[in-house]
Amino acid sequence: MTEQLTRTPGPRIRPLVHPVHAARRPVRHPHPVGEAARTVRSPRAACEGGRPARPRSVAPSRTGHSDLATRFARRLVEVLCGVRPVHQLQRHTTLPGFHQLAALTRSGPLRPRGRSWQPRLGHVHDSAPVPGAVEACVRVELGPRHHMLAFRLELHTRTGQWQCAAVEAR
């Protein structure tokens, strides 16, 4: 009984987020060198002839992984609210992280009770305590109730894919 075991290739797992290249995207409306940036004016200021509004800018991320944390937070909230099944995030979590997520889903801290509310996510705050790890927290509004959600993403050494290692909701 010496059968040769062959390994069949499993399904291809798509990454949660596509890798971000170091090169920046080109600017749509580049300003000539030496010319000051235009200020953004509100429509009301244009009609009233008032002073121009402050230029709008996006706050820079401290970790460079804010897009990853925001996208994962959305998916995590969908799972905890019951919109998405928990097994859709199984390949994006470590085993202990999946057990924590499944336990949170069963206890249902973000399940809408009574009237069905649409969850609204606040700003996702992320930090990188060590290279290869991102810790993030987000405020979730469900109607009159507010919840906090915290999670940790770690870079898998062999596959290079980000996986959720811990989840906590209050």
Side-chain angles (χ1 to χ4, degrees):
M1 295 227 135
T2 57
E3 295 179 18
Q4 182 178 357
L5 297 175
T6 59
R7 196 161 233 199
T8 59
R12 185 176 179 276
I13 297 175
R14 292 180 296 156
L16 182 65
V17 199
H18 299 291
V20 178
H21 300 291
R24 296 184 68 189
R25 292 182 181 169
V27 178
R28 278 194 180 167
H29 304 288
H31 300 288
V33 178
E35 186 178 321
R38 294 180 297 170
T39 58
V40 178
R41 293 177 57 129
S42 68
R44 182 172 293 171
C47 294
E48 296 172 0
R51 66 174 205 220
R54 284 187 275 160
R56 293 181 182 229
S57 65
V58 177
S61 171
R62 293 186 301 166
T63 64
H65 298 294
S66 64
D67 186 42
L68 168 74
T70 303
R71 290 167 75 174
F72 191 78
R74 281 197 187 110
R75 290 184 175 129
L76 201 56
V77 167
E78 289 174 354
V79 166
L80 293 174
C81 287
V83 176
R84 183 185 289 252
V86 69
H87 293 287
Q88 283 191 3
L89 287 183
Q90 185 173 10
R91 63 182 174 198
H92 300 295
T93 56
T94 61
L95 189 59
F98 183 74
H99 289 307
Q100 288 177 349
L101 180 59
L104 278 174
T105 305
R106 282 191 299 272
S107 67
L110 270 66
R111 291 275 174 142
R113 291 168 177 82
R115 183 176 169 194
S116 148
W117 297 96
Q118 186 72 16
R120 292 191 325 173
L121 271 68
H123 179 71
V124 178
H125 301 276
D126 59 310
S127 66
V130 294
V134 175
E135 292 180 349
C137 67
V138 63
R139 179 179 173 184
V140 181
E141 297 178 15
L142 273 172
R145 301 187 62 138
H146 301 269
H147 302 275
M148 288 303 292
L149 179 67
F151 57 93
R152 179 183 174 95
L153 300 173
E154 293 178 349
L155 190 61
H156 192 272
T157 55
R158 193 180 56 210
T159 62
Q161 183 180 9
W162 289 95
Q163 291 183 328
C164 180
V167 182
E168 189 175 332
R170 293 181 190 223

